Amino acid sequence: MSRVAGCDVGSLTSKAVIMENNKILGWSIIKSKSDPEESANSAMQTALEKAGCTLDSIQYCVGTGYGRDRISFINETKSEIACHGMGAKWLVPSARTIIDIGGQDCKAIRIDKDGVVEKFITNDKCASGTGRFLEVMAKVLDIGLDELGDMTEKTETPITFASMCTVWAQADIIKYINSGYSVEDIGAGINAAMAKRVAMLANTVKIENDVCMTGGVAKNKGVVSTLEKVLGVRIRRVRKADPQIAGALGAALISQSKINNGGSK
Amino acid sequence: MMDAFYEAASKIDSQPIRSWKERGGKIVGYTCSYVPSEIFHAADILPVRLRGIETESMEIADAYFGPYICTFPKCILQLAGKGKYTFMDGVIITPGCDSMRRLDECWRKAGDTHPGIVPDFFYYFDVPHKTTEHGIQWFMEEINHMISALENQFNVSITPEKLQSSIREFNRGRKLLQELEDMRAKTDIVISGTDAYAVTMAGTVMHRNEFTVLLENLVKELKQKKAAKNDKRKRIMVIGSISDDISLIQLVEKENEAVVVAENLCFGVRYEGAEISENDDAVSALAHAYLGESKCPRMYGKYKERLASLKQIIDRTHIDGVIMQNVRFCDLHGSENGLFERDLEKEGIPCLRIEREYGPLVETGRLKMRIDAFFERLYK
Amino acid sequence: MRPEIKEYNFDWMMCSIMMAASKTADGSLKEYQRLCEYIPYFRGILDPFVQEGKPGISFLKLFSDYMNNIVTAHDQGKKVGMTTFCFSPAILYSIGVVPVTLEILSTLGALMWKRGTADYLDYCVEQGLTETACSAQRGAMGAYLAGLGSEIDFVVCDTPGVCDTNANSFAFAASYLDKPFYQLNYPQTLSDDRTEKYHIADYRAMIEFLEQQTGRKLDMDQLKEILEEIKIQDQLVADLEELHRLVPTPLPVIYNLMIYGGRFMFAGDHKYTRLLTEMLQAAGEKAKKGLSGLRSGKEKIRAFLCYIDHYSMNLKFYDWLDDHGIAHMGGILSRTFTAGSCYLDGLEGSAYAIDTSSMEAILNSIAQMNARMPMVRSIRGQYDKPGMWLDETLSLVKMFKVDCVIYNGTPGCRNTWGMVKPYAMDLEKHGYPTHIMNSDAFDDRVESWEATVERLDEFFNVRGLL
């Protein structure tokens, strides 16, 4: 029996996953705090509670994410790219290309059949093409993030957004609202703008089937369906777990392989 | 031993510059590796390549440059505006690229609001983009014009004999740098990439004679040095656009996962490559050597030559992976990196292409994340 | 690139659209109006040309012929050369080469399609070109990189030393497609003897390159004929420029695009001469009656576009100018700078003259003319040096009685963005209110049209111009 964990301290959310024998015992997603160490502790605590076990029982733990160097209870760190590759592989075993859109960054990763990263690319530093973009836009529209995802299927006439700049797009949205456009048209337009931006990144790593999406934005139906159209591929839906925990999950899977190869705490 | 190199490589107001000034020496700054340093050396002027390190804010640069401009010339302008370059008696601007050549206007105009920042000798050196006969001819004329301008301004005489003697002095350094590169090419690693880059960088700032002596000692010392047995570190080459900040190399080498054994960077050793003919007409020899090899993507249409030379270095130095970087808005290096990536990956050479903001490693976190992931790929 | 886009050949698609467009006005007005009901997307861009009557329709036919040449080039045994707008196609025509001028095609895509050329723009990036590279080339280049256009036989450009981003994109395309490449490289100076000699040496080397690529000798008789035709065209443009000086100007906003668009496509070709003749006639009639060229008929103010125009969103920018009574007084692309033009006072070195008296003279003339094409002429050296951007702008705004200056370009333009701020400060010092637009002439994803208009409104209102 091997009980392992993975902890992903991101810029907006922190995630932890507890696994035993390739099964998820417990997991958590919390809003990140200003101190990464505290975020890690809190995410881990919540996941442990859900799993019904204690930190002592964890044999190996891998940390990842921006705050990974500040996590106190881990055995080693791995890059988010590798963790997302592993995590996605577990979630969708046939996946070769992973599009991960997190809070403040976006990655396209191509992996081999074992989940090992072959090629990857990340977005540049501004918020366009990230979860943060959607968050800001949903706020301007005064709707929830989940609702924003539903907008795409509710309209046939999405607005074509010019700018993907978070600041300018906000101004555009306000203009559209004032001109009487429906929230659905605007929302669907936002999802489409996001999908197009991300498609360019995905195409850069040369897409191989199957494609899956991880990260919080994978839960936005509108972005996923538009992305399918723009890329011309079917995106495998993640059903085995919340796509947002892929990084932490990958970290836990790496922990598991360490145990199997003879490592221990 | 390394301290002197690091002093010169990591500060703008460094010891070699201060002591040269104290001795009453003249200094001329330049912006691009296509400016033959030998000319200044022959006039007993210290040529110093302009840098952007130590920039803390950008308000002066942003007032003159537009937003879609490489941050490197912006940093130079900002530093100039802040008076950090007042030790320069002259400045040479070249059309290295569009961002760089517009430093001319922006610097001069900034001088209207920041008096005293434009040196008396503010000279435009028009380097062509081709190596055809008429291109070389143009470049030789430019060199001759600059020589006359320097003679007039600084009341010196730059004779063919002096130029030839300077070429000889620079060649001594070139030979030593080549020896250093040969050592780095071997599987026994005796010097880190960071140290080696500090050496090269120092060469763009220090007086050549002083530099050559230090280099000679370093090479001697390294020859005696025993390399660590069974070094498992990955051998990395770093290439691409302007980089006058050794911490980029440091970032790659951190935690001993890797050692940078070769580079092909603007500011790097690529411009020190070939020795310059000591017997031909000095101006012609300089023109052919500086322009002739088309090492920078500003020399359009020479991609194949550059790819071949890159591959040759990769083979010679047993590279495991290539990190290609470009400062944002450097379309020249950025796009060529795209082609390099395509063609090198095809041959099974792992590549990481990154676009970054220039500056005192403003994006360390993001860069580190990408570099870490790249190493995970190399170690798989 | 979306998979469905890959199903269509780019230049054939452009060609059939332009062919159809050029025929829409061949029937009766009623037929045309009925037709418009069926083309909701294209109507917006078709109508401004058709409304101009004969010249507008001729211009559409020019586009149609241009595209037709490209798609049929290889069948006609001609070579296809990828090139840039500031390179005169005259030399290519005289050696049997069909030019694929990327900026012309990017413009067509930007102004005709609702989605613009987004897919092609992004495709270049996916293939390794930087995202910051200029959209003027990227917009069409993506299609050629993807193999969705006529096969390119070689690449020739003349922007090294003037616009690195442009030159870089052409060099990239040549390497990517593995095609021969020639670059004319311009020094930072324009008119001194040494520079002129360099122009000639470089141009002659280019002719050698063209001869190698085509396996043909340059036909001097044909070149002479083409240059003679250019002389006539230059005179017609000079006459139009004279009319442009009138207040109000009888030239409609869209004439600027037609003047330079025609020149970039068909310099030295009778078709362009015919277009200019028609334009001159139409404008002359208006001038006789003292009418403004604006649709409203009322010219309130005269704006000079110191760089390029704004082509995306169905040429909405032109409509906006027209709706506000703003006359478009040309830009960096509009003037020929042929010797004898009215605005050459103090800019003599910027002019070229065509001399066809000997072979030597012909080759020198075309080399010097090419060196004085838009952009490579005045934004090569420092903007404040004699004859360069500032001098040229000041001369033109004075000659054409301009009230304000507007800069519009692309974020890919490292060259002008590196100097436009101090340049604008200097223009303001000379008393010309100057507005710097942040939008992208070819890619409306950079700044939305709404934001662009808001800033334009603000400029004209705050500066008390309207």
Side-chain angles (χ1 to χ4, degrees):
Chain A
M1 191 184 75
S2 62
R3 188 175 292 163
V4 294
C7 185
D8 174 4
V9 180
S11 54
L12 292 183
T13 56
S14 295
K15 285 84 56 174
V17 168
I18 316 290
M19 287 188 100
E20 196 175 271
N21 298 334
N22 209 29
K23 283 202 176 67
I24 296 177
L25 289 187
W27 55 277
S28 67
I29 304 175
I30 62 150
K31 248 192 159 46
S32 288
K33 305 165 196 291
S34 56
D35 177 11
E37 194 176 344
E38 226 178 280
S39 305
N41 289 340
S42 162
M44 193 62 182
Q45 203 46 50
T46 315
L48 286 168
E49 274 164 25
K50 281 197 197 162
C53 58
T54 59
L55 190 58
D56 300 340
S57 68
I58 305 295
Q59 287 168 274
Y60 206 90
C61 181
V62 167
T64 188
Y66 280 114
R68 63 174 184 249
D69 292 329
R70 299 281 310 279
I71 311 174
S72 56
F73 51 78
I74 52 170
N75 301 72
E76 66 168 318
T77 61
K78 276 276 176 218
S79 79
E80 292 126 275
I81 313 264
C83 291
H84 274 276
M86 279 302 191
K89 175 87 201 135
W90 188 87
L91 291 167
V92 180
S94 60
R96 288 289 180 278
T97 309
I98 300 134
I99 300 166
D100 172 73
I101 313 178
Q104 285 193 359
D105 73 358
C106 169
K107 322 174 189 67
I109 308 166
R110 213 179 60 224
I111 55 171
D112 67 10
K113 60 178 173 26
D114 301 317
V116 180
V117 176
E118 279 182 338
K119 198 79 201 166
F120 68 91
I121 185 168
T122 59
N123 70 317
D124 292 303
K125 60 178 179 159
C126 84
S128 73
T130 70
R132 180 82 190 133
F133 175 77
L134 294 181
E135 207 172 273
V136 172
M137 298 309 142
K139 210 170 227 169
V140 178
L141 280 181
D142 197 22
I143 54 174
L145 255 181
D146 302 348
E147 287 173 86
L148 181 64
D150 297 334
M151 296 298 170
T152 300
E153 57 183 25
K154 287 185 183 161
T155 173
E156 291 289 318
T157 51
I159 284 168
T160 307
F161 267 95
S163 186
M164 266 304 288
C165 165
T166 311
V167 182
W168 284 342
Q170 268 188 81
D172 288 355
I173 290 177
I174 293 165
K175 263 195 138 48
Y176 283 120
I177 295 172
N178 293 340
S179 318
Y181 284 88
S182 76
V183 177
E184 286 79 11
D185 285 357
I186 302 174
I190 292 167
N191 293 339
M194 174 85 179
K196 284 175 195 161
R197 178 84 202 167
V198 173
M200 189 165 75
L201 212 59
N203 278 330
T204 309
V205 297
K206 309 273 178 294
I207 291 180
E208 269 174 39
N209 278 326
D210 288 343
V211 182
C212 82
M213 258 184 90
T214 59
V217 178
K219 293 187 240 179
N220 177 315
K221 282 188 272 178
V223 172
V224 179
S225 66
T226 317
L227 199 50
E228 283 184 322
K229 270 189 212 144
V230 179
L231 291 175
V233 294
R234 206 178 113 60
I235 294 174
R236 302 275 155 197
R237 303 299 193 270
V238 169
R239 301 194 199 284
K240 279 169 86 173
D242 189 312
Q244 205 170 347
I245 63 165
L249 175 64
L253 288 163
I254 294 170
S255 297
Q256 194 168 282
S257 71
K258 290 276 167 174
I259 294 282
N260 296 346
N261 292 332
S264 74
K265 200 168 184 175
Chain B
M1 173 90 239
M2 285 305 300
D3 290 354
F5 291 116
Y6 274 101
E7 165 72 18
S10 45
K11 284 185 204 155
I12 286 184
D13 182 23
S14 61
Q15 187 52 43
I17 288 177
R18 277 201 305 273
S19 55
W20 180 260
K21 274 311 254 192
E22 278 158 19
R23 272 177 274 162
K26 299 283 181 199
I27 297 181
V28 170
Y30 63 99
T31 54
C32 173
S33 42
Y34 280 78
V35 181
S37 299
E38 286 85 343
I39 296 170
F40 306 92
H41 187 264
D44 210 21
I45 295 169
L46 178 65
V48 170
R49 189 158 173 192
L50 293 174
R51 323 246 321 247
I53 49 169
E54 299 175 9
T55 313
E56 283 160 354
S57 59
M58 216 54 129
E59 75 285 354
I60 299 171
D62 281 335
Y64 297 92
F65 275 117
Y68 311 114
I69 297 290
C70 165
T71 23
F72 183 68
K74 280 193 180 182
C75 285
I76 293 179
L77 179 59
Q78 179 70 24
L79 292 173
K82 289 274 182 197
K84 302 258 186 201
Y85 279 133
T86 44
F87 61 80
M88 304 255 174
D89 302 286
V91 160
I92 313 282
I93 307 279
T94 61
C97 64
D98 286 339
S99 292
M100 217 52 177
R101 75 191 167 115
R102 294 300 171 209
L103 184 58
D104 184 289
E105 291 101 311
C106 290
W107 192 332
R108 281 188 289 112
K109 295 289 159 182
D112 295 346
T113 32
H114 301 82
I117 65 163
V118 186
D120 290 342
F121 185 72
F122 199 82
Y123 189 85
Y124 199 93
F125 184 59
D126 192 355
V127 185
H129 292 260
K130 55 170 56 181
T131 57
T132 52
E133 205 178 307
H134 56 278
I136 295 275
Q137 180 61 34
W138 178 276
F139 192 47
M140 281 170 58
E141 289 162 15
E142 283 294 314
I143 292 176
N144 280 321
H145 290 170
M146 188 165 72
I147 288 175
S148 308
L150 286 167
E151 287 178 333
N152 287 336
Q153 175 73 26
F154 296 101
N155 201 18
V156 290
S157 146
I158 305 174
T159 62
E161 294 72 37
K162 282 187 189 168
L163 274 177
Q164 247 154 7
S165 138
S166 293
I167 290 175
R168 276 195 296 276
E169 178 62 29
F170 272 71
N171 276 347
R172 273 179 61 209
R174 289 194 178 99
K175 272 179 227 151
L176 291 164
L177 282 168
Q178 194 50 54
E179 275 189 60
L180 187 62
E181 290 305 291
D182 290 343
M183 280 188 233
R184 295 173 74 194
K186 290 190 184 134
T187 40
D188 292 342
I189 297 158
V190 290
I191 183 167
S192 74
T194 312
D195 280 358
Y197 202 57
V199 170
T200 319
M201 288 286 320
T204 68
V205 175
M206 290 170 89
H207 192 276
R208 190 67 172 197
N209 301 33
E210 204 182 313
F211 174 69
T212 311
V213 171
L214 280 173
L215 190 55
E216 214 161 20
N217 293 336
L218 176 72
V219 169
K220 236 183 259 164
E221 194 184 285
L222 291 177
K223 275 182 185 162
Q224 319 273 310
K225 198 171 162 185
K226 287 227 159 49
K229 284 265 173 284
N230 233 341
D231 200 325
K232 289 273 190 323
R233 285 178 292 174
K234 291 289 174 193
R235 299 170 66 85
I236 300 298
M237 179 172 188
V238 182
I239 67 168
S241 70
I242 212 120
S243 182
D244 64 343
D245 193 351
I246 41 175
S247 37
L248 177 72
I249 310 284
Q250 230 159 14
L251 189 69
V252 176
E253 289 188 325
K254 52 111 220 169
E255 290 160 25
N256 296 331
E257 279 182 354
V259 55
V260 174
V261 294
E263 46 86 5
N264 186 15
L265 292 163
C266 185
F267 260 97
V269 77
R270 72 182 185 214
Y271 299 104
E272 294 273 13
E275 282 175 47
I276 297 179
S277 161
E278 295 175 6
N279 304 316
D280 295 330
D281 168 66
V283 170
S284 161
L286 287 172
H288 281 90
Y290 274 84
L291 194 66
E293 293 199 37
S294 302
K295 298 209 167 161
C296 173
R298 77 181 287 281
M299 306 300 279
Y300 304 104
K302 298 281 184 182
Y303 170 71
K304 277 188 185 156
E305 287 85 337
R306 285 190 286 272
L307 177 65
S309 111
L310 191 57
K311 275 195 203 155
Q312 197 217 328
I313 302 174
I314 289 170
D315 288 345
R316 195 172 71 90
T317 52
H318 319 287
I319 295 294
D320 295 309
V322 181
I323 295 179
M324 9 186 99
Q325 55 84 36
N326 72 283
V327 178
R328 190 160 173 83
F329 300 116
C330 180
D331 298 312
L332 278 64
H333 276 288
S335 306
E336 189 141 295
N337 284 348
L339 293 169
F340 282 148
E341 184 185 33
R342 176 190 75 164
D343 294 336
L344 294 178
E345 287 272 3
K346 234 183 255 166
E347 299 196 9
I349 300 161
C351 298
L352 171 69
R353 185 154 69 104
I354 40 184
E355 188 176 82
R356 65 188 183 101
E357 204 65 78
Y358 174 83
L361 284 186
V362 279
E363 301 172 289
T364 312
R366 301 189 57 78
L367 285 175
K368 186 172 179 298
M369 187 256 277
R370 296 188 222 186
I371 291 170
D372 285 355
F374 182 59
F375 280 123
E376 285 166 357
R377 182 185 161 199
L378 294 184
Y379 273 102
K380 77 182 174 192
Chain C
M1 194 184 291
R2 273 173 295 171
E4 62 268 32
I5 305 272
K6 288 191 185 144
E7 296 296 315
Y8 298 92
N9 182 290
F10 167 76
D11 45 26
W12 265 110
M13 186 159 57
M14 284 288 178
C15 181
S16 44
I17 295 171
M18 290 321 296
M19 267 183 168
S22 69
K23 288 176 187 156
T24 50
D26 286 353
S28 69
L29 180 66
K30 205 170 163 192
E31 279 171 327
Y32 171 73
Q33 283 163 345
R34 190 64 199 267
L35 179 80
C36 279
E37 289 170 22
Y38 295 99
I39 46 168
Y41 288 152
F42 292 120
R43 193 168 53 204
I45 185 63
L46 177 64
D47 212 40
F49 289 102
V50 174
Q51 271 183 23
E52 290 306 328
K54 239 182 178 177
I57 296 158
S58 291
F59 189 60
L60 292 175
K61 290 197 194 297
L62 228 58
F63 267 138
S64 162
D65 288 347
Y66 183 78
M67 292 312 307
N68 193 46
N69 280 348
I70 292 175
V71 297
T72 58
H74 284 134
D75 290 343
Q76 293 174 24
K78 290 183 175 175
K79 295 279 181 187
V80 175
M82 181 185 272
T83 187
T84 186
F85 71 101
C86 45
F87 179 90
S88 173
I91 193 78
L92 299 178
Y93 287 129
S94 51
I95 201 163
V97 172
V98 172
V100 166
T101 309
L102 290 183
E103 297 84 355
I104 294 176
L105 300 178
S106 296
T107 306
L108 268 183
L111 56 85
M112 277 192 340
W113 285 333
K114 193 181 166 207
R115 61 172 183 273
T117 55
D119 286 276
Y120 306 120
L121 282 161
D122 291 355
Y123 188 76
C124 294
V125 182
E126 291 162 16
Q127 299 310 306
L129 191 74
T130 46
E131 194 183 0
T132 50
C134 182
S135 50
Q137 290 81 42
R138 272 200 293 139
M141 202 172 101
Y144 290 90
L145 296 186
L148 298 175
S150 285
E151 195 184 339
I152 302 296
D153 295 308
F154 58 85
V155 179
V156 58
C157 72
D158 64 344
T159 39
V162 178
C163 175
D164 284 335
T165 322
N166 173 307
N168 182 62
S169 292
F170 284 98
F172 178 90
S175 300
Y176 185 91
L177 299 168
D178 197 18
K179 300 293 177 190
F181 172 79
Y182 190 89
Q183 50 138 336
L184 276 177
N185 162 209
Y186 288 133
Q188 307 292 291
T189 41
L190 176 62
S191 55
D192 54 274
D193 284 351
R194 183 175 158 235
T195 307
E196 303 234 312
K197 264 188 216 146
Y198 186 87
H199 288 160
I200 291 168
D202 210 14
Y203 203 84
R204 292 201 174 193
M206 183 198 68
I207 291 174
E208 270 174 43
F209 169 84
L210 292 177
E211 289 181 336
Q212 265 170 23
Q213 296 307 319
T214 54
R216 292 168 62 162
K217 265 314 238 194
L218 179 66
D219 182 339
M220 288 305 287
D221 292 332
Q222 204 182 346
L223 181 58
K224 183 176 174 181
E225 217 174 282
I226 287 174
L227 286 181
E228 290 293 349
E229 191 72 20
I230 289 180
K231 253 190 191 172
I232 299 170
Q233 293 168 352
D234 284 352
Q235 186 51 52
L236 289 166
V237 174
D239 292 345
L240 279 164
E241 284 166 353
E242 277 299 329
L243 292 178
H244 211 16
R245 291 171 62 191
L246 297 172
V247 183
T249 169
L251 269 59
V253 169
I254 211 159
Y255 269 32
N256 289 285
L257 173 68
M258 287 159 65
I259 292 173
Y260 63 74
R263 187 168 180 237
F264 297 157
M265 284 189 279
F266 283 120
D269 191 300
H270 300 300
K271 295 187 204 78
Y272 179 45
T273 319
R274 210 159 45 231
L275 170 73
L276 290 171
T277 313
E278 288 167 0
M279 286 166 73
L280 191 59
Q281 199 181 356
E285 278 164 25
K286 277 198 174 152
K288 258 186 239 154
K289 296 178 199 151
L291 293 176
S292 153
L294 295 176
R295 285 198 292 265
S296 61
K298 241 187 136 165
E299 175 182 303
K300 291 186 195 154
I301 197 168
R302 295 157 79 91
F304 180 71
L305 271 291
C306 63
Y307 191 43
I308 60 173
D309 286 320
H310 189 294
Y311 307 100
S312 62
M313 315 290 290
N314 277 2
L315 282 180
K316 261 192 190 156
F317 178 65
Y318 283 16
D319 287 339
W320 188 89
L321 291 175
D322 215 324
D323 292 346
H324 288 76
I326 303 167
H328 185 320
M329 300 314 294
I332 206 169
L333 309 172
S334 320
R335 320 277 178 229
T336 61
F337 279 77
T338 185
S341 299
C342 58
Y343 39 78
L344 288 175
D345 224 8
L347 297 174
E348 286 76 11
S350 303
Y352 64 89
I354 292 171
D355 176 359
T356 54
S357 59
S358 68
M359 221 163 96
E360 185 80 7
I362 289 175
L363 289 176
N364 292 354
S365 298
I366 191 165
Q368 302 303 358
M369 178 179 83
N370 207 77
R372 284 162 182 82
M373 288 292 284
M375 215 163 93
V376 296
R377 175 187 66 243
S378 55
I379 57 172
R380 56 165 75 183
Q382 294 99 318
Y383 81 84
D384 56 350
K385 290 279 144 114
M388 288 295 132
W389 204 18
L390 182 64
D391 266 7
E392 178 173 311
T393 308
L394 287 172
S395 172
L396 291 170
V397 292
K398 197 174 134 207
M399 190 52 62
F400 291 93
K401 303 181 191 74
V402 163
D403 302 299
C404 63
V405 178
I406 299 174
Y407 166 89
N408 184 58
T410 78
C413 190
R414 229 59 66 228
N415 186 10
T416 54
W417 276 108
M419 57 178 165
V420 72
K421 282 186 181 178
Y423 160 86
M425 291 178 214
D426 284 354
L427 282 174
E428 292 275 358
K429 273 185 213 154
H430 282 91
Y432 294 99
T434 304
H435 175 58
I436 299 175
M437 282 167 72
N438 266 295
S439 50
D440 186 316
F442 305 89
D443 186 358
D444 49 41
R445 296 172 301 174
V446 169
E447 185 187 69
S448 69
W449 174 243
E450 284 73 18
T452 305
V453 164
E454 205 163 85
R455 287 163 183 231
L456 279 167
D457 269 329
E458 192 181 63
F459 168 71
F460 280 96
N461 289 320
V462 171
R463 302 304 295 268
L465 293 162
L466 278 178

